Amino acid sequence: MALQGSEEMGEPVEEPEDLDDQDAASISPAEEITMPPGPGGEEGSEQAPLLPWDRFSAWLHCICVVGFDLELGQAVEVSGVPKTLWSDMEKLKTSICYLSFPDSNSGCLGDTQFCFRFRQGSNRKSSQGCFLETADRDAPPCLKREQGHYYGYVYFRQVRDKSLKRGYFQKSLVLISKLPYVTFFHCLLKIMAPEYFEKQEPCLEAACNDMDRWPAPHPGRILTLPIMGVVIKVRIPTCYDKPGTSQLVQSAQGDSLVSIVLPTIHEVDLFRCFHPVFFHIQMLWELVLLGEALVVMAPSPAESSDTVLALVSCISPLRYCSDFRPYFTIHDSEFKEYTTRTQAPPSVILGVTNPFFAKTLQHWPHIIRIGDMKQKGEQPTKQMKVKKLKNLKTLDSKPGVYTAYKPYLSKDEEIIKQLQKGVQQKRPSAAQNAILRRYFLELTQSFIIPLERYVASLMPLQKSICPWKSPPQLRPFNQQDFMKTLEKAGPQLTSRLKGDWIGLYRCFLKSPNFDGWFRSRRKEMTQKLEALHLEALCEEDLQQRIQKHTEVEAVDLVLKLKDKLTQAEREQLPLQPGTLPKLRSHIEALIRTLPEDLQGILHKPPTP
């Protein structure tokens, strides 16, 4: 099935039958919302022209449908929508097929939603590359676009059908994306999948055309997104938002057309996910923080993927920098790599449902066994001890945490009592989730604040920046110096928890999460130094200074300033408004002081 984008972006596209023309015109955001400002907040920077499927590609890579063939097993029935974006998925088709279906032992009757994550096969570049970098710059760490992985969001239906040889209708609608917007895409699938199973391919074509008119997912904007006669209202969070708050505000005007308002695009219900291992939430936080190898054994892909996503998000706003697979199968291309016994298990969190993994991953140091989350009778009212790994023989073992790990911090009894009381008083699940999310947030912030404070001290003073010298360098991170700061400015200032904080920090500094966090902070601070240096340079009277130099030196200065301009635009440096226009005018003024033949050469655009 091949879908074609409109030849010109201004052409009307086919509307779903449920939405009349007048309503569609009033809610379509494509004409109303402009592309975001360019680097340094400059409104005048030019954006690349949009091509067919560029708007679609800002949200999704492609859509595919996986069915069950009696001879082939799982097979792609609709090989990617649009077809032009499916080409680099061909090599990954087998993995996508197996990841899009629950294991046969899961017994998922009816409709099931879950997600998976898999490695990128090739580096396909979008025509919106510069814009997507801008959007990523403003996104929180946990919502930045994946670089080396794709997410697959699945809506699987299995119902009895006597007309089929197998006796069951089994099919999955799968959205492939770089965006970790799990709540949003599951909501989208709830709208698309039932319609698709009833009306088949023309329905997907209408949905794709709707999405190709959406504005791009730029952080900080409230977006109204029409899809198949329904309008979803969302806000993409920014890194500037206060953690733990939702910024989506209901506006009176125009909200009569909004069908669904999503308060979050990515958060899962932490309390529901951690319900079976309720008493060990603090130990699980430590294991995730330190990047330990973890496997979640669950009865279905829905519970597996939700639990893995809950684990990854429990250290927010810190980004989890190791690999994680919300749903992992024995057919995955990394199966041998992750299950080998010849080396220590890698830093990864796996979610599995196949009983085979109970034996294959028995050597892993930390195993979480999750029971059926839908069983209301199991209330976390009595203490559950950490179980020994040798007691985990099969996937039918009792729910719990199987590990020999000794936590660095003392258990926080207060949060356990608070949540237990909520269960006894039948406190709403949303309230329990909010309490637990706030607890994890404050715990992570207490841990990371001393690191932030120390890293900030590595920044050179602004007075050391000289426009005529290279920007000063950051001082190196010294572990011993950092440890010395913890005595007076450690987590004890903001956390009531006691324990071996020093030992926890020592272990964290060796982890992939510290490496990823520090690389990100160092990049931000280096770019800040470059920005301050450029701003200082723009404040100088360059024409007066150039009068004292030779023609060769003047040309050299122009070339260096052009390099600075290119760097600022490429790296999206955090410049004060007006800096880039000022730099361009400086360059132009310097060029005008040179002979005409040199002016012509310097005005030529650089060769790519």
Side-chain angles (χ1 to χ4, degrees), residues 149 255-256 264 427 440 461 471 507:
H149 293 83
D255 266 6
S256 60
T264 176
R427 184 185 292 148
F440 281 134
L461 297 175
C507 198

Side-chain angles (χ1 to χ4, degrees), residues 21-161:
D21 292 338
Q22 184 177 356
D23 284 350
S26 62
I27 62 175
S28 174
E31 298 85 17
E32 299 171 8
I33 300 183
T34 58
M35 298 293 277
E42 306 299 340
E43 297 288 349
S45 60
E46 296 180 2
Q47 296 289 342
L50 288 173
L51 301 173
W53 300 122
D54 268 359
R55 289 184 185 274
F56 177 96
S57 298
W59 292 87
L60 287 176
H61 185 75
C62 64
I63 302 174
C64 60
V65 179
V66 179
F68 192 91
D69 185 284
L70 279 175
E71 295 181 359
L72 301 175
Q74 288 98 309
V76 173
E77 294 181 354
V78 179
S79 58
V81 182
K83 265 191 180 293
T84 53
L85 304 181
W86 174 253
S87 56
D88 57 340
M89 289 286 123
E90 284 290 345
K91 293 180 181 178
L92 302 168
K93 187 187 289 187
T94 302
S95 291
I96 292 172
C97 283
Y98 283 111
L99 288 167
S100 299
F101 265 46
D103 283 315
S104 56
N105 69 290
S106 297
C108 298
L109 274 176
D111 292 353
T112 303
Q113 287 189 256
F114 59 94
C115 79
F116 57 87
R117 184 172 177 267
F118 61 102
R119 282 183 186 166
Q120 180 175 321
S122 61
N123 294 318
R124 175 186 175 273
K125 291 189 177 181
S126 168
S127 57
Q128 286 184 293
C130 183
F131 161 70
L132 297 180
E133 288 176 10
T134 308
D136 256 8
R137 181 192 63 187
D138 296 329
C142 63
L143 289 184
K144 291 187 185 296
R145 197 171 300 264
E146 286 283 346
Q147 297 301 317
H149 293 83
Y150 286 106
Y151 285 88
Y153 300 98
V154 182
Y155 193 106
F156 170 73
R157 175 168 287 183
Q158 178 172 259
V159 292
R160 291 185 183 276
D161 189 336

Side-chain angles (χ1 to χ4, degrees), residues 335-379:
F335 174 75
K336 288 184 179 179
E337 176 187 340
Y338 286 163
T339 57
T340 179
R341 290 174 179 262
T342 59
Q343 58 190 34
S347 177
V348 62
I349 303 178
L350 297 182
V352 302
T353 62
N354 193 321
F356 180 71
F357 282 107
K359 182 179 180 181
T360 310
L361 299 179
Q362 201 172 22
H363 64 292
W364 276 45
H366 318 291
I367 298 174
I368 303 169
R369 172 72 177 94
I370 297 293
D372 189 349
M373 295 180 188
K374 295 177 182 177
Q375 294 178 1
K376 300 295 183 183
E378 293 184 18
Q379 300 293 352

Side-chain angles (χ1 to χ4, degrees), residues 38-42 45 534 538 564-566 568-569 573 575-587:
E42 306 299 340
S45 60
L534 191 53
C538 285
K564 285 279 187 183
L565 180 61
T566 303
E569 292 174 335
L573 295 184
L575 296 163
Q576 292 292 328
T579 302
L580 290 186
K582 190 180 289 187
L583 180 60
R584 291 189 190 100
S585 65
H586 275 317
I587 293 171

Side-chain angles (χ1 to χ4, degrees), residues 155-432:
Y155 193 106
F156 170 73
R157 175 168 287 183
Q158 178 172 259
V159 292
R160 291 185 183 276
D161 189 336
K162 293 181 180 179
S163 67
L164 300 174
K165 286 185 180 180
R166 190 174 171 82
Y168 285 93
F169 171 89
Q170 294 174 305
K171 195 165 289 190
S172 289
L173 180 62
V174 187
L175 309 181
I176 307 293
S177 177
K178 287 274 189 177
L179 297 171
Y181 300 170
V182 58
T183 308
F184 170 76
F185 284 119
H186 280 336
C187 174
L188 193 61
L189 278 168
K190 283 180 181 177
I191 298 167
M192 293 174 59
E195 285 283 311
Y196 168 72
F197 292 137
E198 182 181 336
K199 299 177 183 177
Q200 299 301 305
E201 294 182 18
C203 181
L204 286 187
E205 184 170 356
C208 288
N209 282 325
D210 280 345
M211 283 186 268
D212 202 36
R213 295 185 295 115
W214 286 2
H218 194 271
R221 295 191 175 177
I222 295 177
L223 309 175
T224 52
L225 308 173
I227 182 76
M228 298 170 67
V230 176
V231 181
I232 306 173
K233 184 176 181 180
V234 298
R235 179 185 181 275
I236 313 298
T238 77
C239 56
Y240 312 109
D241 294 344
K242 184 179 179 182
T245 60
S246 175
Q247 302 290 326
L248 183 59
V249 180
Q250 284 268 32
S251 57
Q253 186 178 2
D255 266 6
S256 60
L257 297 171
V258 174
S259 313
I260 300 170
V261 178
L262 286 181
T264 176
I265 59 167
H266 67 289
E267 293 175 346
V268 295
D269 188 332
L270 292 181
F271 183 71
R272 182 179 64 85
C273 294
F274 288 135
H275 184 281
V277 288
F278 178 78
F279 290 97
H280 310 304
I281 51 174
Q282 190 179 312
M283 180 176 68
L284 295 178
W285 175 84
E286 283 192 26
L287 291 174
V288 176
L289 180 75
L290 300 178
E292 289 286 326
L294 268 166
V295 60
V296 175
M297 296 182 176
S300 75
E303 285 142 338
S304 158
S305 60
D306 279 356
T307 304
V308 170
L309 292 172
L311 287 167
V312 168
S313 70
C314 78
I315 61 170
S316 181
L318 197 64
R319 181 186 178 98
Y320 181 76
C321 296
S322 294
D323 195 5
F324 62 95
R325 304 300 174 91
Y327 176 50
F328 189 76
T329 75
I330 59 174
H331 303 284
D332 198 286
S333 57
E334 281 81 54
F335 174 75
K336 288 184 179 179
E337 176 187 340
Y338 286 163
T339 57
T340 179
R341 290 174 179 262
T342 59
Q343 58 190 34
S347 177
V348 62
I349 303 178
L350 297 182
V352 302
T353 62
N354 193 321
F356 180 71
F357 282 107
K359 182 179 180 181
T360 310
L361 299 179
Q362 201 172 22
H363 64 292
W364 276 45
H366 318 291
I367 298 174
I368 303 169
R369 172 72 177 94
I370 297 293
D372 189 349
M373 295 180 188
K374 295 177 182 177
Q375 294 178 1
K376 300 295 183 183
E378 293 184 18
Q379 300 293 352
T381 53
K382 58 182 181 180
Q383 179 70 283
M384 291 167 56
K385 292 183 179 179
V386 175
K387 298 174 174 60
K388 295 180 180 178
L389 284 165
K390 65 180 181 180
N391 295 333
L392 183 69
K393 300 297 183 186
T394 68
L395 202 62
D396 297 326
S397 302
K398 291 182 179 180
V401 180
Y402 294 77
T403 180
Y405 178 79
K406 301 294 183 185
Y408 286 93
L409 304 181
S410 306
K411 181 173 286 189
D412 190 338
E413 299 292 348
E414 285 189 35
I415 184 63
I416 300 294
K417 290 177 182 176
Q418 187 179 5
L419 292 172
Q420 273 186 301
K421 187 177 180 181
V423 171
Q424 293 162 358
Q425 295 179 348
K426 297 183 178 179
R427 184 185 292 148
S429 178
Q432 292 280 80

Side-chain angles (χ1 to χ4, degrees), residues 516-570:
W517 172 81
F518 184 62
R519 282 173 184 268
S520 175
R521 292 292 290 119
R522 184 169 56 192
K523 180 180 177 182
E524 289 173 10
M525 294 166 72
T526 301
Q527 288 185 337
K528 182 62 178 175
L529 285 171
E530 291 284 353
L532 291 171
H533 180 258
L534 191 53
E535 287 165 6
L537 196 58
C538 285
E539 294 302 317
E540 293 290 305
D541 188 343
L542 300 182
Q543 283 182 275
Q544 183 179 0
R545 184 178 181 89
I546 208 67
Q547 291 174 3
K548 305 174 184 177
H549 292 76
T550 64
E551 191 176 279
V552 172
E553 290 172 326
V555 171
D556 184 56
L557 178 59
V558 169
L559 294 175
K560 286 181 177 178
L561 290 176
K562 280 193 163 191
D563 286 343
K564 285 279 187 183
L565 180 61
T566 303
Q567 179 192 13
E569 292 174 335
R570 183 182 66 250

Side-chain angles (χ1 to χ4, degrees), residues 420-547:
Q420 273 186 301
K421 187 177 180 181
V423 171
Q424 293 162 358
Q425 295 179 348
K426 297 183 178 179
R427 184 185 292 148
S429 178
Q432 292 280 80
N433 178 54
I435 290 169
L436 187 54
R437 190 168 291 281
R438 170 59 60 179
Y439 169 75
F440 281 134
L441 174 65
E442 291 177 352
L443 184 56
T444 304
Q445 285 180 326
S446 292
F447 181 82
I448 212 72
I449 283 172
L451 278 162
E452 290 278 8
R453 188 182 293 118
Y454 171 73
V455 168
S457 73
L458 304 179
M459 188 82 163
L461 297 175
Q462 189 165 348
K463 65 181 181 182
S464 66
I465 297 174
C466 173
W468 304 110
K469 295 180 181 179
S470 297
Q473 299 293 307
L474 291 174
R475 290 191 293 278
F477 187 102
N478 185 291
Q479 183 173 329
Q480 289 184 340
D481 289 347
F482 166 67
M483 291 298 182
K484 289 176 184 176
T485 67
L486 296 176
E487 186 178 347
K488 294 182 179 179
Q492 70 275 9
L493 297 180
T494 53
S495 176
R496 61 176 177 263
L497 290 184
K498 306 296 182 183
D500 184 11
W501 285 100
I502 300 292
L504 185 61
Y505 278 111
R506 281 205 179 95
C507 198
F508 176 73
L509 294 179
K510 301 173 186 174
S511 74
N513 287 331
F514 170 74
D515 183 64
W517 172 81
F518 184 62
R519 282 173 184 268
S520 175
R521 292 292 290 119
R522 184 169 56 192
K523 180 180 177 182
E524 289 173 10
M525 294 166 72
T526 301
Q527 288 185 337
K528 182 62 178 175
L529 285 171
E530 291 284 353
L532 291 171
H533 180 258
L534 191 53
E535 287 165 6
L537 196 58
C538 285
E539 294 302 317
E540 293 290 305
D541 188 343
L542 300 182
Q543 283 182 275
Q544 183 179 0
R545 184 178 181 89
I546 208 67
Q547 291 174 3

